[in-house]
Amino acid sequence: MTATEVLDRTEASTDRRVPSARQGRDRRKPLRPSSIIALVILAVLAALWLMPFAWAIVTSLKSEADAGATPVTWIPAGGFTLDAYTSVLSEGNIPQWAFNSVFTSAVITAIAVAISALAAYAFSRIDFAGKRVLFYVTIASIIVPPQMLIVPLFYQMLAFDMVDTYAGIILPQLIHPAIVFILKQFFDQVPIELEEAARVDGASRMRVFLQIVLPLSRPILAAVSIFIFVGAWNNFLWPFIVTNDASLMTLPVGLQTVQSAFGVQYAQDMASAVLAALPLIIVFLFFQRQIIKGFATTGFGGQ
Amino acid sequence: MKHTNPAFEKSTAGLSRRTILTGGAALLGGVLLPSTLSGCSAIAAGGVEQLKFWHLLSGGDGIKMNALVQQANEEFPDEFHATQTVLTWGTPYYTKLAMASVGGRAPEVAIMHATRVAGYAPGGLLDEWDLDILAEEGVTEETFLPRVWDKGVIDGSLYSIALDTHPFIMMFNTEHAEAAGLLDADGRLPVMTSPDQFREVALAMQAVTGVHGLSYGFLNDGAQMWRLFYTLYAQHGAEMTLEVGKEVEFDMDAAVESLEFIQSLLDGTIAAQTGDYGTAVSEFVSGNSGLFFTGVWELPTMVNGNLPVDAQVIPTLYGTPATYADSHSFVLPHQNNPDEAKRRDVYRFVANILKNSISWAEAGHIPAYQPIVDSPAYSRLVPQIHYAEAAQQVVFDPEAWFSGSGSDFQAYFAENVQNVFLGREDPRSGMEGFIRRLNILLNRPNPLESA
Amino acid sequence: MTTTPQLNRAQGVGPNALTRRDGRVPNSARRRDTLHGWGFAAPFVIAFLLFLVWPIIYGFYLSLTGQSITGANSEVIGFANYAEAFADGDVWRSLGNTLWFTLLSTVPLVLVALILALLVNLGLPGQWLWRLAFFAPFLLASTVVSLFWIWMYNPQLGLINSVLGGSTAWLTDSNTAMISVVITTVWWTVGFNFLLYLAALQNIPEQQYEAASLDGAGKWRQLFSITIPQLAPTTIVIVILQVLASLKVFDQIYIMTGGGPGGATRPIVQYIYETGFTAYRLGYASAVAYVFFAIIVIASMVQVLVTSRRGAK
């Protein structure tokens, strides 16, 4: 399946208004007994899946005493409170880590999408010496697991004096050969007549790229941007290796590495985790279809 | 020109969403940025140096250390402001500290266990302390016990300054001891000089509690296993030498005898046959045992639990007084371009904490700074004063680049000897397995020093 | 327009003001194309060479030395590290843990995803809720997932023990540690496979079901004779992607169990990390990393073989 085909099919499955080829039933008829059973099963499964969220949120709204009290209850004896959140936001490093995550993820996304699109356009539209070799090497590199590069990359960051810097976090995360491949596939499908006409009129390749091809590629660019942004935001291993200074850590790394001087505080731990989960969940609630499309499309390019 | 591919019809919707996404991210950053900057601006004025201080202390220790740091900051408001970063105790902390030092942007000052310094200093991961500047701040060799000061000296240079020694001792429940008729006029337990005498006392305690006489947690805990073993081993007068390129030098008989003694204690009557650290703490706190082998750092737990408790060093059962201990020490992680002003402030910071370390003693530790130990305030601290002698007889881990608190060394001990503790393996073969593992490591080049 | 542009597009040759009618391009245009091509690709190629190609090459060189993180011992020692790795019990144990994790997690990650997709595909009301519930966890960072589940598994205060009773130490007992991490992983990542299955289910033509209904086949019969066979290609893709992802596991195991107890759950990536950064031996860690890389390459080759054979059918 090409990227566009996956795009269309996921769109169909997520778009409630499009009549889709499903084992459907007419909505106006009442539910059959078997459907009710299926609905119950789904509800139970969904409840199970939402349970860890719910449990974490409820814990974060308790006082520390209630959070550590037995027997375990959903409703705390002392009532709900936002103390854990105020403590975590005022005393800890979470705002700093959140900023680091936003900053590095945004920079990574912007640069990675830009350089991947440029390269993909070259692969798609320009015949240049060595292109075949370069393309196959790029595709082959999709196999390389980033986990095996942590040692030489760290060594390299030592040599460049980039350990504990933003550059150290950002630079190795700019390379997405799978994204180059996906974008190239997409560009291949763009009708070439538009570009040909512009070039005949004397437009440079860069102008054609920027003013014709890119605007037509908004859906795929949005999809890959989301994919890269979420991946960069959630990335643990590399930022964990390259940052030791607590003020440079991204949110996932900071949460795991830095301990409270006061020992285990369950409500605050859960408050921190919920805060870390919040941005992407909110984004998901608003941009559900966009995100699902993004993942279904780029997912085929490899993980 | 009209294009007919329906995929491109969605372009406007995609763009506006992407704009919102990026805009939202910028907004989020904008909201959070002021809160991160405000902290800096309040302090950056007036040349106040920001000192980054790493340590691995949490719980009661963490609270006390936090108070000490705040006190230092308050006494030097115009010179420096120290912020703490606490990492998980053990391997995660030491790995990150090494990586930070290698990366050249390490924190200005950190705490390490003295037994781990040998795994850092030779590799250039630490910078040495300047004795003259230390003397200006009132910190000299004379203000420490020789054993403790020497532990920080590697190849003639001072790399770590001890804040405390924290030995592995024996606590006892004074009420149970009273009920068992064990206490003398001073409220102390009888002097025990042999394994049998110890067993008698423990059994007497067990008769009173009806559960166990002694609490000792060790399951899956190499540090706990090693602490007790090494105390008993060193009481034989035995030593262990680890040298790269050679095999381990040690006393097998002393080791076997120590392990057999431990096995005899874990019989289900004197002590539970199995149990981890937390379970042992709970057992002693709830009064289900009379004796407790533990580190001094658990003292606040007892005090908070309102337990009638006293403490002493683990009795000398094999002739030579010895107590396993480690020491929290201040080190200077290596920096490629150290800021001289910050470095100077680090000396002030460390000296200030040492001089205020009476509060650290309240957490159970024995302060390393002798003026504090000799002070009247310290002599009033009970039961701390009852085990202060431990500092005179401490034995530290055998020195190697891979040994020390929370190290692989202690993990190997657990791997090979836990089954001995659980009575499933013969002490000699367990010990042999441990020594074999060490010899494999010693056979490799020292990663800190070029061959 | 002639048919040449179609050909050009397939070959990736762009339109060119100088393209002759027979499709050939003069040399000066070729040189300019080469310049442009590399110009466009340059930023990517530079980053690619610097941070992907170079580390791969240098990593191999490191594996031939006894390099320490402090800079000591940098002489070449040949393949001694590889010999040591093959004899190292911890390497085998870590690989074993990784394979065990892969096996334990791949099966539910496929089956559960399929069941969820089948249920959701029935078109019952509440579509947004099902999609949210099952896919949202996939967007979380590994740290957040691990923190949520460490709390769930807490022996005294966690939800799981309060519901099931008992005080099992899920993450520190060697009998339950791995399965606990697997359950967490399934909760976390099933949403992705669920999506792929959902998309594939949409692809099955309605007519097949209608024809089967007319022939008298019931819903279950239709499921097994139409739906599941039609999902075979997707299933294969999912299994392969899942296996490859599981072999690279690190985050959640490291955060939840630290590889313990006593290395019982430690995956190979964590062993690479510990050898290189905790034990200082960058050279040896690189060798183990290359052994790991070899395994991934083999698994990827299998993927290519399987998918291309299916494609050829």
Side-chain angles (χ1 to χ4, degrees):
Chain A
M1 274 197 260
T2 67
T4 325
E5 287 166 357
V6 177
L7 207 74
D8 289 344
R9 286 202 186 103
T10 337
E11 174 80 341
S13 77
T14 57
D15 189 344
R16 279 168 277 169
R17 291 161 299 184
V18 171
S20 52
R22 56 181 192 233
Q23 267 176 300
R25 48 168 195 91
D26 190 337
R27 278 199 173 164
R28 285 163 298 179
K29 290 211 193 99
L31 290 171
R32 288 195 301 269
S34 59
S35 295
I36 296 183
I37 297 176
L39 199 60
V40 168
I41 297 177
L42 260 182
V44 167
L45 287 172
L48 274 180
W49 245 260
L50 289 172
M51 195 67 69
F53 281 109
W55 183 234
I57 293 176
V58 164
T59 305
S60 69
L61 293 171
K62 295 180 180 175
S63 68
E64 277 310 329
D66 282 331
T70 51
V72 172
T73 55
W74 281 92
I75 314 233
F80 290 113
T81 166
L82 285 177
D83 283 350
Y85 286 95
T86 46
S87 298
V88 150
L89 283 173
S90 60
E91 290 159 8
N93 295 312
I94 293 211
Q96 177 70 55
W97 294 335
F99 171 75
N100 293 337
S101 280
V102 170
F103 177 68
T104 55
S105 303
V107 171
I108 289 171
T109 305
I111 299 181
V113 172
I115 68 177
S116 300
L118 283 168
Y121 184 72
F123 284 130
S124 174
R125 294 299 192 231
I126 309 177
D127 186 23
F128 55 97
K131 165 173 142 172
R132 257 213 157 79
V133 169
L134 183 63
F135 186 65
Y136 287 138
V137 168
T138 305
I139 300 300
S141 73
I142 295 179
I143 288 182
V144 178
Q147 293 82 355
M148 74 155 277
L149 295 177
I150 56 179
V151 170
L153 269 179
F154 181 78
Y155 196 77
Q156 202 173 13
M157 290 297 135
L158 280 181
F160 290 166
D161 193 27
M162 281 187 190
V163 175
D164 274 323
T165 62
Y166 283 124
I169 300 176
I170 290 172
L171 289 173
Q173 296 191 66
L174 296 177
I175 307 158
H176 290 265
I179 301 294
V180 173
F181 177 67
I182 287 171
L183 288 175
K184 179 223 180 251
Q185 274 195 319
F186 188 87
F187 290 153
D188 284 347
Q189 302 290 318
V190 173
I192 211 167
E193 296 83 4
L194 301 166
E195 297 171 59
E196 286 175 345
R199 299 226 53 224
V200 163
D201 285 345
S204 71
R205 281 213 160 92
M206 185 56 85
R207 258 189 89 188
V208 171
F209 174 67
L210 289 175
Q211 295 182 345
I212 298 181
V213 178
L214 279 190
L216 293 176
S217 313
R218 280 180 194 138
I220 195 73
L221 288 177
V224 302
S225 298
I226 289 170
F227 189 76
I228 294 178
F229 187 85
V230 173
W233 183 281
N234 289 345
N235 193 6
F236 178 75
L237 184 55
W238 177 247
F240 173 65
I241 299 245
V242 81
T243 54
N244 309 295
D245 186 343
S247 63
L248 280 172
M249 290 179 181
T250 56
L251 207 41
V253 176
L255 277 185
Q256 193 276 334
T257 316
V258 175
Q259 305 296 307
S260 159
F262 302 94
V264 186
Q265 296 176 293
Y266 300 114
Q268 287 191 22
D269 282 352
M270 285 306 112
S272 307
V274 169
L275 285 174
L278 223 42
L280 289 183
I281 296 296
I282 290 179
V283 165
F284 180 70
L285 284 174
F286 282 110
F287 300 110
Q288 201 185 68
R289 286 201 291 153
Q290 204 69 340
I291 290 177
I292 290 181
K293 240 193 297 186
F295 274 91
T297 313
T298 52
F300 274 110
Q303 287 180 303
Chain B
M1 213 184 294
K2 194 116 176 62
H3 33 274
T4 52
N5 190 325
F8 303 105
E9 307 287 301
K10 312 242 180 352
S11 47
T12 44
L15 180 60
S16 65
R17 274 186 188 151
R18 205 157 128 241
T19 318
I20 294 174
L21 266 175
T22 345
L27 194 65
L28 194 64
V31 163
L32 296 167
L33 191 50
S35 65
T36 62
L37 288 181
S38 63
C40 296
S41 60
I43 291 159
V48 177
E49 301 295 344
Q50 302 295 311
L51 298 181
K52 288 190 292 232
F53 173 42
W54 277 26
H55 63 82
L56 65 173
L57 305 158
S58 64
D61 283 356
I63 297 175
K64 288 258 189 295
M65 176 53 73
N66 185 51
L68 282 168
V69 172
Q70 298 315 321
Q71 188 174 14
N73 283 336
E74 277 158 27
E75 291 187 24
F76 288 95
D78 301 320
E79 281 86 349
F80 62 78
H81 182 85
T83 50
Q84 306 161 76
T85 302
V86 184
L87 304 184
T88 313
W89 193 95
T91 309
Y93 178 77
Y94 285 107
T95 306
K96 278 279 135 192
L97 187 61
M99 289 167 76
S101 303
V102 165
R105 290 193 182 80
E108 276 76 34
V109 59
I111 285 194
M112 281 181 71
H113 288 101
T115 53
R116 297 278 259 180
V117 174
Y120 278 66
L125 295 175
L126 299 177
D127 292 339
E128 53 177 289
W129 292 96
D130 183 323
L131 294 172
D132 296 324
I133 305 182
L134 279 175
E136 281 176 41
E137 297 294 333
V139 178
T140 65
E141 191 172 343
E142 289 74 40
T143 53
F144 292 86
L145 290 175
R147 257 191 221 215
V148 175
W149 175 266
D150 288 339
K151 189 64 186 156
V153 177
I154 312 246
D155 284 338
S157 300
L158 182 71
Y159 283 100
S160 73
I161 301 173
L163 167 67
D164 66 33
T165 50
H166 47 273
F168 195 64
I169 55 167
M170 183 174 75
M171 293 188 190
F172 61 93
N173 186 319
T174 48
E175 272 177 20
H176 291 332
E178 183 88 56
L182 291 169
L183 293 182
D184 65 9
D186 295 321
R188 307 294 191 87
L189 289 175
V191 176
M192 295 163 256
T193 52
S194 78
D196 286 328
Q197 287 180 337
F198 180 83
R199 273 191 282 259
E200 270 177 40
V201 170
L203 284 168
M205 288 287 198
Q206 195 274 338
V208 169
T209 67
V211 185
H212 292 122
L214 162 73
S215 286
Y216 170 57
F218 63 89
L219 197 61
N220 291 330
D221 196 329
Q224 281 286 100
M225 288 186 243
W226 176 255
R227 287 167 186 149
L228 181 59
F229 166 80
Y230 197 57
T231 299
L232 298 167
Y233 177 83
Q235 284 185 357
H236 284 82
E239 286 179 0
M240 191 182 288
T241 312
L242 305 172
E243 225 181 286
V244 174
K246 300 195 196 150
E247 294 205 342
V248 179
E249 284 173 25
F250 75 110
D251 184 337
M252 178 58 98
D253 293 326
V256 170
E257 194 173 36
S258 308
L259 286 172
E260 282 171 350
F261 175 64
I262 295 176
Q263 276 182 328
S264 75
L265 295 178
L266 302 173
D267 59 359
T269 310
I270 295 181
Q273 285 178 317
T274 178
D276 65 9
Y277 187 95
T279 317
V281 174
S282 304
E283 186 180 57
F284 184 69
V285 168
S286 57
N288 283 330
S289 69
L291 301 171
F292 185 30
F293 283 153
T294 185
V296 297
W297 52 85
E298 285 297 338
L299 185 62
T301 315
M302 308 303 144
V303 170
N304 290 341
N306 289 321
L307 200 68
V309 73
D310 202 341
Q312 61 165 81
V313 296
I314 293 182
T316 307
L317 304 177
Y318 293 101
T320 311
T323 298
Y324 164 89
D326 208 328
S327 149
H328 295 118
S329 310
F330 290 102
V331 297
L332 294 169
H334 175 71
Q335 298 202 332
N336 288 336
N337 298 304
D339 181 323
E340 289 311 320
K342 289 195 183 187
R343 273 274 158 99
R344 188 63 188 80
D345 283 325
V346 167
Y347 284 80
R348 291 193 186 103
F349 173 72
V350 168
N352 184 276
I353 292 190
L354 287 175
K355 290 173 191 158
N356 290 322
S357 55
I358 185 69
S359 69
W360 195 241
E362 286 158 20
H365 305 287
I366 304 177
Y369 195 57
Q370 288 306 105
I372 298 289
V373 174
D374 297 333
S375 70
Y378 185 72
S379 62
R380 286 194 288 271
L381 288 178
V382 173
Q384 283 89 328
I385 198 65
H386 292 166
Y387 57 77
E389 63 184 292
Q392 320 266 2
Q393 58 184 56
V394 293
V395 284
F396 292 109
D397 278 5
E399 207 166 272
W401 61 268
F402 55 84
S403 68
S405 287
S407 65
D408 281 347
F409 178 89
Q410 295 182 347
Y412 298 148
F413 191 71
E415 276 169 26
N416 287 285
V417 172
Q418 175 155 292
N419 279 334
V420 175
F421 276 47
L422 291 171
R424 296 182 198 155
E425 195 176 336
D426 161 68
R428 183 169 290 262
S429 76
M431 199 63 195
E432 279 168 358
F434 174 57
I435 298 297
R436 253 197 313 272
R437 193 70 185 80
L438 293 179
N439 283 335
I440 293 177
L441 262 185
L442 290 173
N443 203 19
R444 292 201 200 114
N446 185 339
L448 297 171
E449 290 162 356
S450 286
Chain C
M1 271 298 185
T2 66
T3 57
T4 318
Q6 298 284 355
L7 202 65
N8 287 349
R9 195 186 315 149
Q11 288 174 345
V13 177
N16 193 308
L18 300 171
T19 309
R20 301 207 190 104
R21 247 182 312 144
D22 58 5
R24 283 166 52 220
V25 172
N27 276 340
S28 62
R30 277 237 128 78
R31 275 198 298 276
R32 200 190 53 191
D33 279 354
T34 301
L35 192 67
H36 284 181
W38 284 100
F40 270 73
F44 174 76
V45 170
I46 293 173
F48 184 73
L49 286 175
L50 268 180
F51 301 113
L52 191 68
V53 175
W54 176 244
I56 295 179
I57 299 174
Y58 196 70
F60 185 68
Y61 171 72
L62 270 181
S63 73
L64 301 174
T65 70
Q67 180 80 47
S68 152
I69 202 173
T70 60
N73 297 330
S74 55
E75 312 81 39
V76 174
I77 55 174
F79 287 91
N81 284 332
Y82 290 96
E84 187 187 335
F86 281 112
D88 187 344
D90 285 330
V91 170
W92 290 107
R93 261 191 295 278
S94 303
L95 282 173
N97 291 338
T98 309
L99 286 172
W100 183 228
F101 172 81
T102 304
L103 183 65
L104 279 182
S105 62
T106 302
V107 173
L109 276 168
V110 173
L111 283 180
V112 173
L114 178 60
I115 294 173
L116 293 178
L118 286 171
L119 283 171
V120 173
N121 193 47
L122 293 176
L124 298 166
Q127 288 286 310
W128 67 271
L129 177 62
W130 317 134
R131 273 200 295 276
L132 172 72
F134 301 134
F135 184 71
F138 188 74
L139 293 176
L140 298 176
S142 52
T143 314
V144 173
V145 172
S146 304
L147 286 175
F148 280 178
W149 280 87
I150 289 174
W151 180 231
M152 295 270 287
Y153 284 130
N154 187 304
Q156 288 81 33
L157 302 169
L159 189 61
I160 295 193
N161 275 354
S162 74
V163 166
L164 295 178
S167 60
T168 320
W170 296 95
L171 295 174
T172 50
D173 183 334
S174 53
N175 291 328
T176 52
M178 185 58 97
I179 195 74
S180 307
V181 177
V182 167
I183 292 174
T184 302
T185 308
V186 172
W187 176 84
W188 181 27
T189 58
V190 80
F192 183 75
N193 298 344
F194 158 72
L195 268 195
L196 294 185
Y197 268 134
L198 208 53
L201 283 171
Q202 301 297 323
N203 194 27
I204 304 178
E206 184 78 5
Q207 296 88 318
Q208 293 198 8
Y209 292 112
E210 287 167 3
S213 287
L214 290 175
D215 284 345
K219 281 279 186 301
W220 288 101
R221 185 92 190 285
Q222 289 177 27
L223 177 69
F224 284 102
S225 56
I226 301 178
T227 314
I228 293 191
Q230 295 259 333
L231 288 178
T234 311
T235 304
I236 291 176
V237 169
I238 289 180
V239 168
I240 289 172
L241 285 180
Q242 201 51 62
V243 166
L244 278 173
S246 301
L247 289 174
K248 304 175 200 165
V249 68
F250 171 78
D251 294 7
Q252 64 270 38
I253 300 187
Y254 176 73
I255 300 174
M256 295 178 78
T257 63
T265 53
R266 177 175 53 202
I268 187 69
V269 175
Q270 182 174 337
Y271 188 64
I272 296 172
Y273 167 72
E274 285 178 0
T275 315
F277 298 105
T278 305
Y280 300 156
R281 302 177 66 199
L282 291 185
Y284 183 55
S286 292
V288 180
Y290 258 82
V291 171
F292 166 68
F293 182 40
I295 294 173
I296 297 290
V297 168
I298 293 173
S300 304
M301 291 297 159
V302 170
Q303 166 195 6
V304 171
L305 268 172
V306 170
T307 48
S308 65
R309 277 213 348 248
R310 285 217 134 239
K313 271 196 208 166

